[in-house]
Amino acid sequence: MVVRPSVLDRALRPLHHWVWRDPHRCARKLLRFADTEADGGRDISRAAELTPDPLLRRLYLRHAHDELRHADLFRTRARTLLLSLPRAHASFEANWLAPGERGLDDVRVGRGEDGSLLAFLHLSEKAAARRFAMYRQVLAYDRETQAVFDEVLKDEVYHMSYTRMQLARVAAQRSHARLRQARLGRLWKAYLRAAAALASVLGTLLLRLQYFVILPPFALLARRAQQREPEGFVPARSPTPLGSQY
Ligand SMILES: [Fe+2]
Ligand SMILES: [Fe+2]
């Protein structure tokens, strides 16, 4: 199955290109992706422990193993990149522009919740596969990192397909309702992420505005007041507390 980037990601291609073109930022993103994949792998291993369904247990274990392998692939590539680069410099991260597989969403794993989990995993894997398809396109100049995304993408497509098939088996007629529910949950989390990113940008802007626009007039007034003081003027001293002069 060929996975294509979403329409939105295709429209934002220049932005993705800009995010990934800095090799330091690229390495840090790969390290963050490695953490996300490893977290996902642990959550899915937990789901394998809890499910009463033997087929799902086997599939979850394979899935968890894949995610841990992805974590290794991302981490190894990030280390290789970092070792080949000069000292790191500070750069704009823009994590909210290029999230990893599940972004900030955590998989919720509970006993008897295979339907909801499969719906959530299906949507997450689909989003990840489309995002990774975009990343591999904008990384055309870095063949080695691109090869890592190629490798991971194959597994994500498999995860996307098996979760959809198993959802149809486990939840039968309720599979559409589960998907709708999971989609709403993801939308709410996306809204929270966007709101947090906007609040952070606005907070930084307001602080800069205070520093560069509001503070300078006060500093100027204070300097003028100091220049206007007559020569030999000694500012009043605070009274000495009784008894301390002896
Ligand atoms: Fe993965
Ligand atoms: Fe995956």
Side-chain angles (χ1 to χ4, degrees), residues 59-136:
L59 290 165
Y60 285 157
L61 283 174
R62 180 195 161 168
H63 191 159
H65 181 263
D66 287 345
E67 300 301 358
L68 294 174
R69 199 168 58 83
H70 299 168
D72 276 346
L73 285 168
F74 283 134
R75 198 170 292 118
T76 307
R77 181 61 195 144
R79 282 190 187 139
T80 312
L81 261 177
L82 285 172
L83 286 173
S84 68
L85 293 170
R87 252 183 87 220
H89 59 280
S91 63
F92 182 54
E93 280 292 313
N95 289 319
W96 55 283
L97 289 175
E101 179 159 355
R102 268 168 283 273
L104 302 176
D105 304 336
D106 278 325
V107 187
R108 277 184 315 178
V109 176
R111 205 176 285 278
E113 291 178 5
D114 282 323
S116 310
L117 178 64
L118 285 165
F120 177 85
L121 285 176
H122 172 69
L123 295 178
S124 299
E125 299 291 339
K126 191 174 174 183
R130 298 177 104 183
R131 265 291 158 94
F132 288 172
M134 183 77 242
Y135 298 161
R136 67 167 298 287

